[in-house]
Amino acid sequence: MESSLELTTSLPGTYPPLLRSRIFKIIVIGDSGVGKTCLTYRFCAGKFPDKTEATIGVDFREKVIEINGEKIKVQLWDTAGQERFRKSMVQHYYRNVHAVVFVYDVTNAASFRSLPAWIEECRQHSLGQEVPRILVGNKCDLQHALQVGTELAQKFADSHSMPLFETSAKNPDDNDHVEAIFMTVAHKLKSQKPLMLSQPPGGGGAPPLGKSEEEEEGGWSCNC
Ligand SMILES: Nc1nc2c(ncn2[C@@H]2O[C@H](COP(=O)(O)OP(=O)(O)OP(=O)(O)O)[C@@H](O)[C@H]2O)c(=O)[nH]1
């Protein structure tokens, strides 16, 4: 995937000023091919990617946004949907997560039926209802091929206490805008700041919304 070309490491001692801003780590999860890469690329780069390949392990994309005068880095972890590309990375995805975005493809009922398994995987990694979660139905531009209607998806979202957004990474004109979806999550995280300053017992949940683990380790940064 071409996005890997956009990744740059931070050299020790050369931290750009924005590295001190707060980071929201949001993981994007769902079956292979639902459009996780396209959605994250759309938000961070502002356009639909020319071409994508199956994500191997994880890709990171970041965007700096401003909420109420504070600059915040939204770090999207685009995870691999294919099991064979996930195995070695799973433990890393789930550390220090602030929010989860579950994605299905509205033209692929199987991707919708997989959602309980993705939710369960998150739960097993201490990401339950206390962490902001949203549900995104992607590829709404392909209305002629629709397999998952809004009513069914809304029932599922309600039963898991998640807001539902239906969008298209390719052409969001008539749907929820990709940018607005991720901004909604960021606003929610910012408004929950006091709640997130302490670790839950056992330390399994999200850390304070300050320096990320990757930042502490001088890890990856992507400026797309
Ligand atoms: N028509 C349409 N096609 C889309 C949309 N989003 C993604 N696609 C296409 O769906 C295919 C898969 O998209 P990806 O973003 O690579 O899917 P993914 O979920 O990241 O897949 P993995 O990396 O294997 O987990 C690509 O051919 C995209 O061009 C959309 O909103 N509309």
Side-chain angles (χ1 to χ4, degrees):
M1 156 78 215
E2 61 181 1
S3 69
S4 58
L5 295 174
E6 300 153 10
L7 297 173
T8 55
T9 47
S10 300
L11 296 172
T14 62
Y15 293 111
L18 276 173
L19 227 49
R20 286 177 183 274
S21 60
R22 290 195 296 159
I23 293 184
F24 294 165
K25 173 179 173 179
I26 301 172
I27 54 169
V28 184
I29 286 185
D31 277 6
S32 178
V34 296
K36 300 180 296 296
T37 297
C38 293
L39 285 167
T40 55
Y41 192 91
R42 174 100 203 192
F43 177 67
C44 292
K47 59 182 185 176
F48 191 71
D50 295 333
K51 72 179 176 72
T52 61
E53 288 168 9
T55 303
I56 297 174
V58 68
D59 269 343
F60 307 88
R61 296 191 181 84
E62 284 183 348
K63 182 169 176 169
V64 176
I65 58 169
E66 194 168 323
I67 303 179
N68 302 334
E70 181 184 352
K71 283 196 164 60
I72 288 163
K73 254 189 199 174
V74 176
Q75 185 181 72
L76 299 179
W77 285 49
D78 169 21
T79 66
Q82 286 188 49
E83 183 58 30
R84 66 190 165 127
F85 293 147
R86 293 174 58 79
K87 280 190 190 124
S88 57
M89 294 296 293
V90 168
Q91 300 302 327
H92 298 285
Y93 303 160
Y94 289 110
R95 294 218 309 250
N96 297 341
V97 169
H98 298 115
V100 184
V101 176
F102 294 102
V103 185
Y104 67 95
D105 171 352
V106 298
T107 71
N108 179 348
S111 72
F112 183 74
R113 288 195 296 270
S114 294
L115 289 169
W118 291 116
I119 292 170
E120 176 57 19
E121 184 175 290
C122 280
R123 200 193 56 75
Q124 285 174 3
H125 290 85
S126 306
L127 293 174
Q129 291 196 10
E130 69 285 354
V131 175
R133 306 176 306 168
I134 67 165
L135 183 60
V136 174
N138 188 37
K139 305 196 188 180
C140 283
D141 56 297
L142 303 175
Q143 279 300 311
H144 59 280
L146 191 74
Q147 289 189 0
V148 185
T150 303
E151 203 179 327
L152 179 64
Q154 189 63 62
K155 266 190 193 154
F156 181 85
D158 290 346
S159 69
H160 288 86
S161 307
M162 289 189 254
L164 168 71
F165 296 91
E166 292 182 312
T167 192
S168 161
K170 192 169 192 175
N171 177 17
D173 287 349
D174 299 325
N175 309 103
D176 295 321
H177 282 264
V178 177
E179 288 79 4
I181 293 170
F182 287 107
M183 286 300 283
T184 301
V185 178
H187 272 272
K188 189 164 185 179
L189 287 171
K190 188 164 191 297
S191 67
Q192 286 191 348
K193 183 174 85 172
L195 284 178
M196 319 254 326
L197 282 173
S198 59
Q199 290 260 19
L209 290 171
K211 275 188 164 186
S212 72
E213 174 194 341
E214 292 71 45
E215 201 178 71
E216 298 283 8
E217 292 169 0
W220 293 97
S221 166
C222 164
N223 300 310
C224 53

